[in-house]
Amino acid sequence: GGITVGSLAYTAVTAFAINALTKKSLAKARSAAASVAAAQKGYGTNVNAVSPASDHAIIYGQQRVGGVIFYRSITNDQQYLHTLLALAGHECEEIGTVYADNVALTLDGNGFVTNDDFQIKDALRINKHLGTSTQAADADLVAEDGAWTTAHAAKGIAYIYIRAEFSGDVFPQGLPTFSAVVKGKKVFDPRTSTTAWSSNAALCLRDYLTSDYGLGANSDEINDTVFSTAANTCDENVTLSGGSTEKRYTVDGSFVTALPPD
């Protein structure tokens, strides 16, 4: 299924307004189709495709990902650019460090970026949403953008809301490309009959086999005795040359539902 938000009418932002805040974004917008296609190959960290409806990204384990911009608007007499960037089409365990290009951003308790070295202090505010089934619309965006209401909860979509304040000093080359380190999908563990985040390779494979974007297998087609044994093997600690340990087999990656199962 595609990323949709209720009856949301995607806000068309004028070229003049975008250009006033994000010169670089204009060039990106001209190749929107190409960037969406690039995103469909794996949501690389250098991709912020623009589309109001796009194929879902699925994240297993933990990975730094870019995403798809599914809403944009300008408010307060072109002072603020509001952007919603979808990271995954399912609930995620955690959205960790957010990056602007390759700079790790530090956020205060209200979501404002405090990096002095990147010269963007207070010019950016970022809110994180994990895509839960009870997710509410972003309260800050509702308060500042009359076109975004409490009905636009974006349930089931893990995303970040970015508010950028116009500043030629802070963004002389336009907005950067955003990405985030995400702990992805929660998966079922037949050993405990619980569903929780895990990068265990066997559990992630089981989830893919039973998901509608994967093979859509029924539970009676899955041998959970075999998967439990495999999961235990994956969880074995392996000693590295430096003396530390890591799990024997893990999965950390992402793909989009446009890609057919092989």
Side-chain angles (χ1 to χ4, degrees):
I3 293 175
T4 59
V5 185
S7 59
L8 170 65
Y10 182 73
T11 298
V13 185
T14 64
F16 172 80
I18 292 182
N19 188 52
L21 186 59
T22 59
K23 294 180 180 179
K24 186 184 294 185
S25 293
L26 277 175
K28 293 179 181 178
R30 294 190 185 103
S31 60
S35 64
V36 170
Q40 290 176 343
K41 293 180 180 179
Y43 274 36
T45 57
N46 62 338
V47 174
N48 283 170
V50 181
S51 176
S54 180
D55 297 291
H56 287 170
I58 309 298
I59 302 172
Y60 284 119
Q62 177 174 282
Q63 187 180 35
R64 180 178 163 192
V65 297
V68 172
I69 296 169
F70 66 99
Y71 182 82
R72 221 169 212 178
S73 67
I74 289 178
T75 63
N76 202 30
D77 195 23
Q78 300 183 17
Q79 182 180 5
Y80 298 117
L81 173 65
H82 307 274
T83 301
L84 299 184
L85 182 70
L87 303 173
H90 55 77
E91 179 180 352
C92 289
E93 172 71 11
E94 175 183 279
I95 298 174
T97 302
V98 177
Y99 290 81
D101 290 333
N102 287 314
V103 177
L105 302 179
T106 301
L107 311 180
D108 67 15
N110 295 314
F112 284 100
V113 173
T114 60
N115 298 56
D116 288 324
D117 56 337
F118 198 43
Q119 297 182 336
I120 56 175
K121 187 174 182 180
D122 296 334
L124 282 175
R125 185 181 66 201
I126 297 174
N127 296 337
K128 304 174 183 179
H129 297 272
L130 295 176
T132 66
S133 60
T134 58
Q135 181 165 277
D138 188 284
D140 289 329
L141 183 55
V142 170
E144 298 184 28
D145 180 357
W148 195 262
T149 74
T150 56
H152 299 132
K155 295 177 181 179
I157 300 174
Y159 72 95
I160 55 175
Y161 160 46
I162 305 157
R163 192 194 74 174
E165 184 172 2
F166 171 70
S167 172
D169 295 329
V170 176
F171 306 114
Q173 301 300 317
L175 278 184
T177 297
F178 291 92
S179 59
V181 176
V182 180
K183 283 187 175 180
K185 195 176 183 187
K186 299 178 181 182
V187 295
F188 180 77
D189 188 338
R191 298 171 297 179
T192 60
S193 297
T194 59
T195 299
W197 177 84
S198 176
S199 60
N200 183 292
L203 300 184
C204 292
L205 174 59
R206 184 190 184 283
D207 183 84
Y208 181 80
L209 292 175
T210 58
S211 296
D212 56 3
Y213 55 78
L215 297 186
N218 296 322
S219 58
D220 59 2
E221 297 178 285
I222 300 295
N223 189 328
D224 278 333
T225 299
V226 171
F227 272 98
S228 294
T229 300
N232 287 334
T233 300
C234 293
D235 277 342
E236 293 174 355
N237 288 321
V238 177
T239 302
L240 304 178
S241 58
S244 60
T245 62
E246 66 179 16
K247 298 300 181 183
R248 186 175 297 278
Y249 301 116
T250 61
V251 170
D252 298 285
S254 65
F255 60 92
V256 293
T257 54
L259 301 175
D262 291 328

